[in-house]
Amino acid sequence: MLREADIAMYAAKAAGKNRFRRFHPEMMTALVQRTVMEAALQLAVTRGEISVAFQPIVSPRSGLAVQFEALARWDHDGERIPPSDFIPMAERSGLIGEIGNEVMGLSLVQLAPWLRADPSRSLAVNVSGMQLQEPNFADGVLRLAAACGVGANQLVLEVTESVFFDPDCGLIRQLGSLRGAGVRVALDDFGTGYSSLGRLQDLPVDTVKIDRTFVSMVRTGQERLPILSSMINMAHSLGLTVTAEGVETAVQADYLTALDCDSLQGYLFSRPESGLRLELAWRQAEDALAALAPRRPNTG
């Protein structure tokens, strides 16, 4: 009885504050499944189950793929586990540091030849607040980049707004140290968190990434979406660059280009591909960008 009550209590906590939950057998099943998956995740790195997929980010201004974002992948027992499942699990279990380091290392090694060919190219890697709590994280990132012959200015670390609400000042110091060495910081999923456009000037970031939920509001190209233009104009006024995520149609790409969005990312240009298909993704992205019709929608 106590065990079942304990399981119901944690289910209530997970659902939010001021709630109660009655125990159901499905809760026990879910707990067992989660425990089994967490045990498997602990061995994922040593078993070589963690890999990286790369999605290109293009510049409408230059017509080139200027950046790749590294995306973690976990293949276990012939099944690909969604990042939305295993990344939160890795954070809860304290494994995110090990997995994050593996992703960073694999990304730099695989993308190093592409990066060295043009110093204006860059690699974006998602970083958890828990990784930034590691005292030697910044030094480790810089050493790894140097060992791969990649300039610090070719690295972009993507963080979410929640990082800046952590009371641990060490996180901000780590980001400051990395930025001082030339690494850029991108604010991921901008617009879905707690900060306002006005607070943007206080955050130590170089780029904002507009969340796909805002991009999806563009359907015909005739919409009046002042929130999008406000985001881009505010960021530019603060000296920041802007990347739009989740671009899936030519209409969306044209709309954002007309708003002077610096970079675009999404299935329109390429799905995430393995390192072996890097050149294919790169060429496909640039071909898709070149095929866009020069329309200027009504964006007032």
Side-chain angles (χ1 to χ4, degrees), residues 27-270:
M27 291 181 180
M28 178 66 80
T29 302
L31 176 63
V32 171
Q33 290 175 340
R34 186 164 64 246
T35 302
V36 170
M37 290 303 291
E38 286 184 359
L41 189 59
Q42 289 178 347
L43 300 173
V45 172
T46 56
R47 288 175 172 172
E49 294 178 348
I50 300 297
S51 61
V52 181
F54 298 94
Q55 187 172 36
I57 298 173
V58 302
S59 164
R61 198 171 293 122
S62 69
L64 301 173
V66 294
Q67 186 179 113
F68 275 99
E69 180 180 358
L71 302 165
R73 296 290 184 259
W74 180 28
D75 295 297
H76 176 65
D77 282 347
E79 178 185 1
R80 173 152 288 182
I81 313 299
S84 56
D85 288 346
F86 79 83
I87 294 297
M89 188 187 304
E91 291 182 328
R92 287 195 306 268
S93 60
L95 294 169
I96 193 65
E98 181 184 11
I99 291 173
N101 291 338
E102 180 76 357
V103 170
M104 182 75 73
L106 290 172
S107 303
L108 280 166
V109 168
Q110 292 180 57
L111 212 64
W114 186 79
L115 292 169
R116 288 196 296 261
D118 186 340
S120 68
R121 295 171 177 170
S122 56
L123 164 68
V125 183
N126 291 277
V127 174
S128 164
M130 295 183 68
Q131 290 176 265
L132 290 168
Q133 290 176 353
E134 299 172 6
N136 299 320
F137 175 76
D139 289 340
V141 168
L142 295 174
R143 283 198 303 269
L144 185 57
C148 294
V150 174
N153 63 319
Q154 293 182 282
L155 274 179
V156 179
L157 301 185
E158 296 193 4
V159 299
T160 59
E161 289 179 85
S162 60
V163 165
F164 301 108
F165 291 90
D166 196 298
D168 183 2
C169 295
L171 276 71
I172 305 301
R173 285 197 295 270
Q174 291 259 36
L175 288 176
S177 175
L178 287 161
R179 291 182 79 212
V183 176
R184 285 169 286 164
V185 176
L187 181 60
D188 200 12
D189 301 332
F190 181 66
T192 62
Y194 302 103
S195 71
S196 65
L197 285 171
R199 190 175 181 275
L200 195 57
Q201 62 186 342
D202 301 322
L203 302 181
V205 300
D206 306 281
T207 299
V208 294
K209 298 192 75 173
I210 296 176
D211 188 72
R212 65 185 64 245
T213 55
F214 296 98
V215 174
S216 66
M217 292 190 295
V218 180
R219 296 183 177 87
T220 67
Q222 301 303 311
E223 293 87 354
R224 296 177 63 86
L225 300 172
I227 190 169
L228 273 176
S229 56
S230 296
M231 284 179 171
I232 295 170
N233 291 337
M234 175 68 79
H236 284 167
S237 70
L238 296 172
L240 307 177
T241 58
V242 182
T243 298
E245 299 181 287
V247 179
E248 297 186 353
T249 68
V251 168
Q252 292 171 345
D254 289 334
Y255 193 99
L256 291 158
T257 299
L259 291 176
D260 202 25
C261 188
D262 301 282
S263 304
L264 308 174
Q265 177 181 5
Y267 287 173
L268 173 65
F269 305 104
S270 175

Side-chain angles (χ1 to χ4, degrees), residues 281-295:
W282 169 28
R283 299 300 183 192
Q284 180 178 313
E286 292 189 349
D287 288 345
L289 185 58
L292 290 176
R295 297 190 297 268

